[in-house]
Amino acid sequence: MLDVIVEIILDIVLEGALEAAGSRKVPMPIRIILAGMILLLMLTVVALVFWAGAIRQSVILVLIAAAMLIGLAYLCFAKVRQFKRKC
């Protein structure tokens, strides 16, 4: 029961943060902070998968974590490049 409540709260918070980070109505410093929080959460998930792979000595989990990190880096690079083109 508690895990469902936490999941719903995190879903609401993350959806709000994602929409606010992409909205022009929100001031730039707030958008940067929200984007940083989302990035930190994603890096935490990658670190958790990597840690689980290291503890269990699973090469597959370590490779999944590496792929997630590469994908996250590409996504960040693409978003920054898209932002620079708009300015």
Side-chain angles (χ1 to χ4, degrees):
M1 180 69 178
L2 185 61
D3 58 337
V4 174
I5 294 172
V6 170
E7 181 182 351
I8 291 171
I9 291 172
L10 279 176
D11 189 37
I12 291 170
V13 168
L14 281 176
E15 287 294 323
L18 284 171
E19 290 207 17
S23 174
R24 295 236 182 236
K25 295 179 182 178
V26 179
M28 182 59 84
I30 303 297
R31 288 193 288 174
I32 291 172
I33 290 171
L34 289 172
M37 288 174 49
I38 294 168
L39 180 65
L40 185 64
L41 181 68
M42 296 297 181
L43 287 175
T44 304
V45 170
V46 170
L48 182 63
V49 172
F50 181 78
W51 181 65
I55 294 295
R56 297 181 187 265
Q57 297 178 349
S58 172
V59 176
I60 294 173
L61 282 177
V62 172
L63 291 176
I64 289 172
M68 289 171 64
L69 187 62
I70 291 169
L72 185 62
Y74 175 74
L75 181 65
C76 289
F77 178 73
K79 287 291 183 180
V80 167
R81 188 170 37 163
Q82 180 184 15
F83 178 75
K84 284 185 179 180
R85 285 185 183 166
K86 286 183 179 179
C87 292

